[in-house]
Amino acid sequence: MGSEGRAQPPCPPPAGQHCDPKRPQTRPPSSPISEVDLDEGLVDLDLRNDSDTPDVPPPTDSTPEILKRALSGLSARWKNWWIRGILSLAMISMFFLIIYMGSFMLMLLVLGIQVKCFHEIITIGYRVYHSYDLPWFRSLSWYFLLCVNYFFYGETVADYFGTFVQRREQLQFLIRYHRFISFALYLAGFCMFVLSLVKKHYRLQFYMFAWTHVTLLITVTQSHLVIQNLFEGMIWFLVPISSVICNDIAAYIFGFFFGRTPLIKLSPKKTWEGFIGGGVSTVLFGFVFSYFLAQYQYFVCPVEYNSETNRFVTECEPSELFQLKKYSVPLLLQAVLGWETVNMYPFQMHSIALSTFASLIGPFGGFFASGFKRAFKIKDFADTIPGHGGIMDRFDCQYLMATFVHVYITSFIRGPNPSKVLKQLLVLQPEQQLNVYRTLKSHLVEKGILQPSLRG
């Protein structure tokens, strides 16, 4: 028998044999495997070339023919510049139109983006792992998406549409047992997955099961937080999203014209000049944009559902965050600006924190997405938007921003919500409501808010 594939003796070799230190050394099959050998094997796996990663078919060029003809005389660099610019203006215009149409349309926009991002990521897994023969894979992926959305949107309905739900007995049942129904739906999908397991596809099926759940975590959970931020007031939705968009555009412009120093290997086109220029521009933009939005109730009031008109309303007495206050200018800036005091909204101070996160940490969402795409040898998540790639390519930083804004609001802004407390009181039994009334009345008398004459 030949020696090919046979384990080589370790150095030093037995007498009469030559030892080649460069030759990979392995032990005979009968020898036990130690932890050191196992670690070395794992390192070898990590150091393998990625050439065995399945290739994904490259996306097609979806640029409209009219743009191709108009820009045919330009170099590829400037052609991409104009395509990105024109499509960016179109998307921003559409975004302003949806804002004008109201909160409900913004929620539908978030839902549509979520579904499209989920579709793009799942499609990559489907192609990379050649999951064409897996039974029920695509059906189960979309079923889990439906289940998770049912859970999160049901929670939103219970929190913000209490008065609407109370008028309909069918909805009362669904809301009361919402979490149990959601769990039962998920269990049905879980059992269907187990029943779909096929012996020759075990590992691949579990790969895709994990792929689906991580995708749900990235898309559905974050989009739910976006909608939660929107209910706090449209300004908490617009300023973070606009800051990320501004940072993306400003970083691209500064990098395009002044970029010389590479920023990170995961994204070779990103430069320090673009990163710094985009960061400064974003903070300034967020500060000015917040001043503009804080002047209007439409943007600063929490979004609430009016059961009488069956519409979302944004009418309130603006909180202290959105009332002009006088601030003293630091001595160092007084000599430059010539002002001792300045009138501004307290929210503008919070906008600095939001814009700083969008410019310093937000891009790491994009770097993460770049690493993901490099791992699977793809340029973009899809070819939905000419010059930009897929929807996920445009919203990779937004999901990270949504989580930060939600944590920021719950940590530093949000206090007790009287409307939520009232909605919970309204669903109590009459005896429980009377007990709450007596307790609250006694407390107010002790505090001196109610006159003692009102006792009894």
Side-chain angles (χ1 to χ4, degrees), residues 78-285:
W78 279 100
K79 185 183 298 184
N80 184 62
W81 159 271
W82 280 106
I83 291 174
R84 287 175 67 97
I86 293 171
L87 269 297
S88 295
L89 290 175
M91 288 188 290
I92 292 173
S93 302
M94 184 64 68
F95 184 54
F96 280 123
L97 177 61
I98 294 176
I99 293 172
Y100 175 78
M101 296 171 69
S103 305
F104 183 70
M105 293 304 298
L106 283 173
M107 294 178 201
L108 291 181
L109 174 66
V110 172
L111 177 61
I113 291 172
Q114 171 219 118
V115 172
K116 181 57 180 172
C117 289
F118 179 83
H119 172 258
E120 290 178 358
I121 300 176
I122 286 295
T123 300
I124 291 174
Y126 185 73
R127 292 177 177 175
V128 164
Y129 292 107
H130 301 293
S131 310
Y132 311 111
D133 299 326
L134 291 188
W136 300 359
F137 162 63
R138 283 203 158 180
S139 300
L140 282 175
S141 296
W142 288 100
Y143 176 81
F144 283 126
L145 176 68
L146 180 65
C147 290
V148 176
N149 270 303
Y150 176 81
F151 170 74
F152 281 120
Y153 279 91
E155 293 286 306
T156 300
V157 170
D159 286 341
Y160 297 100
F161 298 83
T163 55
F164 175 78
V165 171
Q166 289 172 15
R167 298 181 178 181
R168 290 162 175 81
E169 295 184 2
Q170 302 88 343
L171 291 180
Q172 288 182 22
F173 174 82
L174 293 176
I175 293 301
R176 182 175 182 180
Y177 300 104
H178 170 68
R179 296 192 177 184
F180 180 81
I181 295 172
S182 301
F183 183 64
L185 290 173
Y186 179 83
L187 278 182
F190 179 82
C191 292
M192 284 190 288
F193 168 75
V194 174
L195 294 174
S196 72
L197 291 173
V198 180
K199 186 175 182 180
K200 61 179 180 179
H201 292 311
Y202 282 161
R203 182 179 299 180
L204 182 56
Q205 286 180 285
F206 278 101
Y207 279 160
M208 299 315 302
F209 184 78
W211 185 288
T212 299
H213 281 67
V214 171
T215 304
L216 291 171
L217 177 65
I218 293 173
T219 58
V220 183
T221 306
Q222 308 305 317
S223 63
H224 172 69
L225 296 181
V226 171
I227 292 178
Q228 293 288 310
N229 299 338
L230 176 60
F231 275 106
E232 295 296 326
M234 204 177 292
I235 196 169
W236 292 103
F237 173 85
L238 294 177
V239 170
I241 286 181
S242 300
S243 296
V244 172
I245 294 173
C246 174
N247 182 256
D248 191 31
I249 294 174
Y252 178 76
I253 293 175
F254 277 92
F256 186 88
F257 289 105
F258 310 108
R260 297 291 183 272
T261 312
L263 175 62
I264 187 171
K265 291 182 178 180
L266 283 174
S267 294
K269 294 183 180 180
K270 298 290 192 303
T271 63
W272 276 104
E273 291 80 3
F275 183 76
I276 296 172
V280 174
S281 302
T282 302
V283 174
L284 293 176
F285 167 82

Side-chain angles (χ1 to χ4, degrees), residues 186-408:
Y186 179 83
L187 278 182
F190 179 82
C191 292
M192 284 190 288
F193 168 75
V194 174
L195 294 174
S196 72
L197 291 173
V198 180
K199 186 175 182 180
K200 61 179 180 179
H201 292 311
Y202 282 161
R203 182 179 299 180
L204 182 56
Q205 286 180 285
F206 278 101
Y207 279 160
M208 299 315 302
F209 184 78
W211 185 288
T212 299
H213 281 67
V214 171
T215 304
L216 291 171
L217 177 65
I218 293 173
T219 58
V220 183
T221 306
Q222 308 305 317
S223 63
H224 172 69
L225 296 181
V226 171
I227 292 178
Q228 293 288 310
N229 299 338
L230 176 60
F231 275 106
E232 295 296 326
M234 204 177 292
I235 196 169
W236 292 103
F237 173 85
L238 294 177
V239 170
I241 286 181
S242 300
S243 296
V244 172
I245 294 173
C246 174
N247 182 256
D248 191 31
I249 294 174
Y252 178 76
I253 293 175
F254 277 92
F256 186 88
F257 289 105
F258 310 108
R260 297 291 183 272
T261 312
L263 175 62
I264 187 171
K265 291 182 178 180
L266 283 174
S267 294
K269 294 183 180 180
K270 298 290 192 303
T271 63
W272 276 104
E273 291 80 3
F275 183 76
I276 296 172
V280 174
S281 302
T282 302
V283 174
L284 293 176
F285 167 82
F287 192 81
V288 175
F289 190 51
S290 298
Y291 181 84
F292 170 76
L293 295 181
Q295 302 177 51
Y296 302 96
Q297 286 189 10
Y298 182 73
F299 297 115
V300 302
C301 291
V303 178
E304 296 182 351
Y305 180 77
N306 189 321
S307 59
E308 296 179 359
T309 60
N310 289 329
R311 294 178 58 189
F312 288 101
V313 294
T314 51
E315 298 175 356
C316 67
E317 181 66 29
S319 67
E320 293 184 357
L321 280 177
F322 308 107
Q323 296 179 10
L324 278 174
K325 292 186 177 181
K326 185 176 290 187
Y327 292 89
S328 299
V329 177
L331 294 176
L332 293 176
L333 295 178
Q334 286 184 15
V336 178
L337 300 176
W339 302 333
E340 294 184 359
T341 60
V342 62
N343 291 326
M344 55 182 288
Y345 295 97
F347 179 81
Q348 290 179 269
M349 304 302 294
H350 295 290
S351 75
I352 295 176
L354 300 178
S355 301
T356 301
F357 183 89
S359 55
L360 294 182
I361 309 300
F364 280 84
F367 301 152
F368 177 86
S370 296
F372 177 87
K373 289 183 286 187
R374 279 180 168 271
F376 297 103
K377 298 182 179 180
I378 56 177
K379 182 177 182 295
D380 297 310
F381 283 93
D383 57 354
T384 308
I385 311 171
H388 292 269
I391 298 295
M392 190 65 195
D393 290 287
R394 291 285 58 112
F395 288 89
D396 46 14
C397 301
Q398 296 287 4
Y399 287 127
L400 192 61
M401 188 71 192
T403 305
F404 171 74
V405 174
H406 184 75
V407 172
Y408 189 88

